[in-house]
Amino acid sequence: MSHTRSLLFKIITRATFVIGLALAIIFIPNLSIFDEELLPEITERLSNPPNPNINGNAIYPLYGISATTGKDPDAVGKSVIQSLQSKHTKGEFANLTQDEKTALYGGDEKWDAEWQAAYPAADCTPRKQPNCFSELMVDVKQTPLTHPRLIAQLKRYHNIIQLPHLIEETRLMDYTSPLPNYYLLMQLGKLSQANAYQEKGLDGLITNSEADMRFWRMALVDSHTTLGRMVAIASLYRNVAALSHAIKQERALSSTQLQHLQALLKPLTTQEVNLEKVLVSELRFGAENWQTAPKTIPEGESIILWRLTQPVAAINWFYRQTLKPAFALNQLSAVEFYEHAQTPTTALAFSRFNPYNLGGKINLAKNWQYTPYIGRAHDLAGIYSLVSLQLELKTIAKQDWPAMINSSHYKNPYTKKPFDYDAATNSLGFSCFSATDICLIQL
């Protein structure tokens, strides 16, 4: 009996030793003392942080735009951001409880639901759906913009688009933080544009678009988040699509209208097409914010993978695997980008037997592709060229259109060949970078 107990004790002791040794081999390399330093090129890219604390930054009223009528959206937005940024020092995630939202916004934030229901076409996406502007015109005609809350919100919208900056506040934020209310601003912009055209025709549309497009072209340069930049691109696409619709409807354009339209369709600059600020911001968010965020395991995250993740090593891995190739693609011309971006960037290979930062590597194994975001800016530049060519065609006889299209300096951004013209459907276009998007106008 004693021999059996001794043998059982030896088996348990050795098994415990083997299991303990295995756990040590797996977990000890992932102690924080073994984490890497940031790559020097990452440190260099992060050396010039953005400064949201600048006069005339639209990000603050954007956070406060859904406050109750009578409250100052700018003051509400600043209070919201201050509340969010105070959370990490308390060991909390940078989000708001329902009670905090009610106190800051003055209620339950549902004051816009009633008027929003009357304009379903305000949710139409011109990048993916044709005739969004004409459908919205029907909504506005059926339900004029007379709702008291909507009138108050349109005033806020007009005040916001007069501001000179749009620099997002991402410091001390985390993945649970609320986003600026871009959705509401986009809806208000669409309604304002449709109403201007319905009430004052092309001249009204031009005046409305001048303010709106100035703001969103500024945002293309100022914004440093993926969401902000995609909203700016979508808003400009919507503006240009509305102008194209109006040009099509006009029998003839006056010289003044022609000049204003040409100014509105001034080609995008290299700086406006460039995505670098967004890529740097994505890098900064990962490299800096984890240091102050709560160390709680994210909901749905595997506790084992979480414990096997080295934060800085994971950031370095994400940079080498995803962001560095995106930085390189971002520097290419539209033609070069189109040629190189057809093949997705591949994830870095790693061994599952190497425990160091294994959780980080597994979580990042599904490589996030930035090429669609780069491609949308090139698509938008192409849409500007399409409508500029439409403007030229408006001044000549229809039988001369094919020759003008072939000889025009406005070309397909990806091939530098003439745009595709279909005389049967009276359409002009090119293939967008993403096959699901529409880069087509009706002449």
Side-chain angles (χ1 to χ4, degrees):
M1 177 67 95
S2 61
H3 176 71
T4 301
R5 288 180 178 175
S6 175
L7 180 61
L8 182 61
F9 177 77
K10 287 180 180 181
I11 291 173
I12 293 173
T13 302
R14 290 175 182 176
T16 302
F17 174 77
V18 171
I19 293 171
L21 180 61
L23 291 175
I25 291 172
I26 293 172
F27 287 102
I28 288 178
N30 287 292
L31 295 174
S32 59
I33 59 173
F34 297 117
D35 202 358
E36 301 173 359
E37 296 289 331
L38 279 176
L39 294 171
E41 54 191 299
I42 294 180
T43 304
E44 182 179 354
R45 289 189 184 278
L46 301 184
S47 60
N48 295 309
N51 177 27
N53 297 324
I54 190 171
N55 289 333
N57 188 0
I59 204 62
Y60 300 116
L62 255 177
Y63 267 103
I65 193 173
S66 59
T68 184
T69 304
K71 279 203 168 194
D72 178 9
D74 188 73
V76 172
K78 287 176 179 176
S79 296
V80 168
I81 289 175
Q82 288 169 2
S83 297
L84 292 171
Q85 291 183 324
S86 70
K87 296 279 185 168
H88 284 186
T89 58
K90 305 172 188 175
E92 302 172 4
F93 284 111
N95 53 32
L96 300 175
T97 65
Q98 188 56 53
D99 287 344
E100 288 170 332
K101 289 180 183 178
T102 300
L104 286 165
Y105 287 96
D108 62 4
E109 303 176 73
K110 295 179 181 178
W111 303 283
D112 297 298
E114 185 176 334
W115 65 259
Q116 286 174 328
Y119 308 102
D123 288 328
C124 186
T125 305
R127 183 171 57 84
K128 292 185 175 293
Q129 300 163 265
N131 306 318
C132 286
F133 186 66
S134 57
E135 290 175 12
L136 187 58
M137 290 289 295
V138 173
D139 285 354
V140 171
K141 186 175 181 179
Q142 290 177 345
T143 311
L145 311 188
T146 58
H147 192 288
R149 172 65 177 182
L150 175 55
I151 291 173
Q153 290 295 64
L154 285 169
K155 183 177 179 180
R156 287 177 173 177
Y157 153 77
H158 285 293
N159 288 337
I160 287 174
I161 65 170
Q162 297 302 319
L163 295 173
H165 297 289
L166 180 61
I167 304 172
E168 292 91 347
E169 179 60 273
T170 58
R171 296 171 297 183
L172 299 177
M173 302 290 189
D174 55 56
Y175 69 95
T176 70
S177 301
L179 299 169
N181 203 334
Y182 285 117
Y183 172 71
L184 182 55
L185 193 70
M186 292 174 75
Q187 282 194 312
L188 292 167
K190 291 175 181 179
L191 289 170
S192 175
Q193 188 176 51
N195 191 60
Y197 184 50
Q198 179 159 297
E199 289 190 346
K200 298 182 180 179
L202 179 57
D203 290 333
L205 178 62
I206 289 173
T207 300
N208 182 277
S209 299
E210 283 173 341
D212 200 69
M213 293 175 76
R214 180 210 60 79
F215 177 82
W216 290 115
R217 287 189 72 152
M218 171 276 294
L220 278 182
V221 177
D222 263 16
S223 174
H224 62 98
T225 66
T226 304
L227 174 62
R229 185 168 169 82
M230 293 305 106
V231 167
I233 289 174
S235 297
L236 288 167
Y237 197 122
R238 175 258 301 171
N239 270 281
V240 178
L243 293 175
S244 176
H245 172 87
I247 292 169
K248 177 177 179 285
Q249 298 302 315
E250 295 293 313
R251 286 191 174 185
L253 301 173
S254 70
S255 58
T256 301
Q257 290 173 332
L258 187 61
Q259 289 173 2
H260 281 290
L261 288 167
Q262 288 170 337
L264 283 172
L265 295 169
K266 182 180 178 182
L268 297 184
T269 65
T270 301
Q271 189 180 19
E272 289 169 333
V273 174
N274 195 290
L275 191 74
E276 182 156 343
K277 277 189 180 179
V278 169
L279 298 175
V280 171
S281 179
E282 295 283 356
L283 185 58
R284 185 182 304 281
F285 193 85
E288 295 180 353
N289 286 26
W290 69 270
Q291 299 177 48
T292 59
K295 300 304 183 283
T296 308
I297 299 174
E299 185 177 350
E301 181 74 69
S302 163
I303 186 172
I304 296 176
L305 293 183
W306 179 259
R307 298 300 181 193
L308 294 179
T309 297
Q310 291 281 19
V312 179
I315 291 161
N316 289 340
W317 186 273
F318 178 63
Y319 173 75
R320 288 194 299 263
Q321 171 180 268
T322 302
L323 289 178
K324 191 170 183 177
F327 276 112
L329 284 171
N330 181 61
Q331 295 301 317
L332 301 178
S333 68
V335 175
E336 294 168 330
F337 165 76
Y338 195 74
E339 291 174 352
H340 288 80
Q342 299 305 312
T343 303
T345 53
T346 56
L348 297 177
F350 65 93
S351 171
R352 292 179 181 265
F353 295 102
N354 180 354
Y356 182 71
N357 189 35
L358 184 60
K361 293 171 183 175
I362 290 175
N363 283 332
L364 294 170
K366 187 176 181 180
N367 191 15
W368 190 7
Q369 304 292 320
Y370 278 91
T371 50
Y373 302 110
I374 300 173
R376 284 185 200 173
H378 290 301
D379 285 350
L380 179 62
I383 294 295
Y384 266 73
S385 293
L386 269 181
V387 182
S388 294
L389 179 52
Q390 178 188 13
L391 204 57
E392 288 188 348
L393 297 176
K394 193 75 178 179
T395 64
I396 65 173
K398 187 172 181 179
Q399 63 265 25
D400 297 327
W401 285 4
M404 171 68 84
I405 292 168
N406 288 328
S407 63
S408 175
H409 67 277
Y410 295 115
K411 304 288 186 184
N412 182 320
Y414 299 120
T415 65
K416 296 305 177 185
K417 294 180 180 179
F419 287 119
D420 301 325
Y421 171 56
D422 188 335
T425 59
N426 219 29
S427 62
L428 190 69
F430 65 98
S431 295
C432 294
F433 176 74
S434 295
T436 57
D437 292 349
I438 300 171
C439 292
L440 187 78
I441 62 172
Q442 297 295 320
L443 298 175

